[in-house]
């Protein structure tokens, strides 16, 4: 009986005869089967990646609504086509933000983003006009912009609890609520530490209905933000809003007419601005 002689490549030691792998099968186009299978696998993987990307674009657009979306035409560069809260992200950055954000409607957000280091998160969706927000962004030192979407049937979002809501958000610049305003409507809402160490805060729409509050850590507040601090109805027992010396200087500068006018408007609501 004849013995099959095995042949090996001297350099690699690989068996070159007999061959029983897919490389020994030749396809009609002249390529071996292994090359054909590798090419098909790469093609399938490419189509799967494109499908996964398209699905994520749909999820991103739906989650952000008016506050962001996939917008390569207006992106600062081709690598950052995903926008959220006017910030631009790569695909990998956007996936991380989406995966680490809460996408469901929540009325209680207690400490859900405490310590967050992302620059932003998906919009907070509040299904009712009530929000339990104790420490929701406490020490979220990376967050620069936040958006909140309230119910369509109301223009206010009542904070039933708000202790340390934005405390130690040292990078926070904007809290955007679109057509809504945050309202602390209860005596039991502690208002001394909501904005603790918010050194960069510029934009927020917020007021306390029955008591004053302290926001003296924020020197960059806009005129519209400070105007929102004045409630639509007078505070029965009066209240004091403590602001940063730079903000107070604008309010008391008689030549700065728009800012100075807020003092009279506040007085009509039994509100006094102060600084420390």
């Amino acid at each position: 009986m004849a013995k099959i002689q095995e042949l090996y490549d001297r350099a690699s030691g690989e068996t070159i005869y007999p061959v029983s792998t897919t490389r020994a099968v030749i396809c009609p186009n002249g390529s071996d089967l292994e090359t054909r299978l590798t090419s098909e696998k790469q093609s399938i993987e490419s189509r799967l990646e494109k499908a996964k990307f398209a699905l994520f674009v749909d999820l991103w657009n739906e989650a952000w609504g008016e506050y962001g979306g996939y917008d390569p035409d207006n992106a600062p560069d081709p690598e950052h086509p995903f926008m959220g809260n006017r910030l631009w992200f790569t695909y990998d950055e956007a996936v991380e933000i989406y995966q680490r954000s809460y996408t469901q409607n929540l009325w209680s957000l207690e400490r859900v983003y405490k310590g967050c280091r992302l620059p932003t998160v998906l919009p907070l969706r509040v299904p009712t006009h009530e929000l339990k927000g104790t420490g929701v962004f406490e020490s979220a030192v990376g967050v620069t912009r936040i958006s909140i979407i309230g119910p369509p049937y109301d223009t206010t979002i009542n904070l039933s609890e708000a202790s340390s809501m934005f405390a130690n958000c040292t990078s926070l610049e904007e809290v955007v609520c679109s057509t809504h305003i945050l309202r602390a409507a209860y005596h039991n809402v502690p208002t001394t530490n909501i904005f603790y160490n918010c050194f960069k805060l510029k934009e927020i729409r917020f007021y306390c209905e029955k008591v004053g509050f302290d926001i003296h850590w924020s020197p960059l507040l806009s005129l519209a933000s400070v105007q929102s601090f004045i409630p639509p109805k007078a505070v029965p027992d009066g209240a004091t809003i403590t602001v940063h010396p730079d903000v107070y200087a604008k309010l008391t500068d008689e030549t700065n007419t728009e800012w100075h006018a807020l003092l009279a408007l506040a007085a009509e609501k039994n509100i006094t601005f102060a600084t420390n």
Side-chain angles (χ1 to χ4, degrees):
M1 182 175 178
K3 183 180 178 180
I4 297 177
Q5 180 67 42
E6 295 182 350
L7 302 177
Y8 301 92
D9 184 282
R10 287 185 178 182
S12 65
E14 181 182 1
T15 301
I16 58 176
Y17 182 85
V19 180
S20 59
T21 66
T22 52
R23 285 176 300 180
V25 180
I26 305 301
C27 299
N29 64 1
S31 65
D32 61 78
L33 183 57
E34 183 171 343
T35 301
R36 174 80 177 272
L37 291 175
T38 300
S39 177
E40 290 292 335
K41 180 182 177 182
Q42 292 173 344
S43 177
I44 292 171
E45 290 175 346
S46 176
R47 291 197 296 270
L48 286 174
E49 283 299 315
K50 289 180 180 179
K52 186 171 71 172
F53 183 87
L55 175 60
F56 179 73
V57 167
D58 290 342
L59 292 172
W60 181 266
N61 289 340
E62 181 180 3
W64 280 102
E66 65 180 287
Y67 295 107
Y70 176 68
D71 190 8
D73 292 338
N74 295 303
D77 57 69
E79 288 74 35
H80 295 78
F82 292 90
M83 193 269 284
N85 284 334
R86 303 200 326 277
L87 301 171
W88 294 91
F89 306 102
T90 65
Y91 176 48
D92 290 340
E93 290 169 341
V95 169
E96 182 181 12
I97 289 171
Y98 188 90
Q99 290 178 338
R100 295 180 60 184
S101 295
Y102 288 79
T103 55
Q104 66 268 43
N105 292 341
L106 296 172
W107 72 272
S108 177
L109 293 166
E110 284 191 83
R111 297 181 174 87
V112 294
Y113 291 115
K114 183 176 180 179
C116 179
R117 294 185 177 275
L118 297 172
T120 193
V121 294
L122 298 181
L124 306 183
R125 296 181 180 272
V126 184
T128 69
H129 67 282
E130 198 89 1
L131 174 60
K132 190 176 182 180
T134 299
V136 55
F137 284 101
E138 184 178 355
S139 299
V141 294
V143 174
T144 61
R145 291 174 185 155
I146 298 166
S147 52
I148 303 176
I149 300 176
Y153 56 82
D154 203 347
T155 57
T156 59
I157 299 174
N158 292 327
L159 301 175
S160 58
E161 295 182 18
S163 177
S164 301
M165 188 170 183
F166 303 109
N168 286 314
C169 287
T170 53
S171 299
L172 182 61
E173 297 178 6
E174 297 181 18
V175 180
V176 182
C177 299
S178 188
T179 58
H180 288 71
I181 188 169
L182 297 174
R183 175 176 66 180
Y186 308 99
H187 282 295
N188 64 334
V189 177
T191 56
T192 56
N193 62 353
I194 295 177
F195 304 106
Y196 179 73
N197 284 347
C198 289
F199 304 122
K200 297 183 179 181
L201 185 61
K202 300 175 184 177
E203 297 293 341
I204 189 166
R205 303 296 181 264
F206 171 86
Y207 71 87
C208 289
E209 195 169 71
K210 299 178 181 179
V211 295
F213 63 95
D214 191 349
I215 193 168
H216 80 269
W217 301 274
S218 307
L220 305 176
L221 292 169
S222 69
L223 175 67
S225 296
V226 177
Q227 186 171 3
S228 78
F229 300 162
I230 303 171
K233 297 180 181 179
V235 179
D237 299 324
T240 299
I241 300 174
T242 305
V243 296
H244 189 276
D246 290 356
V247 175
Y248 189 75
K250 294 177 184 178
L251 290 167
T252 54
D253 182 0
E254 295 183 2
T255 64
N256 197 337
T257 55
E258 285 188 305
W259 281 85
H260 190 66
L262 296 183
L263 290 180
L265 182 61
E268 294 176 4
K269 311 297 182 182
N270 291 336
I271 294 289
T272 301
F273 283 103
T275 191
N276 55 9

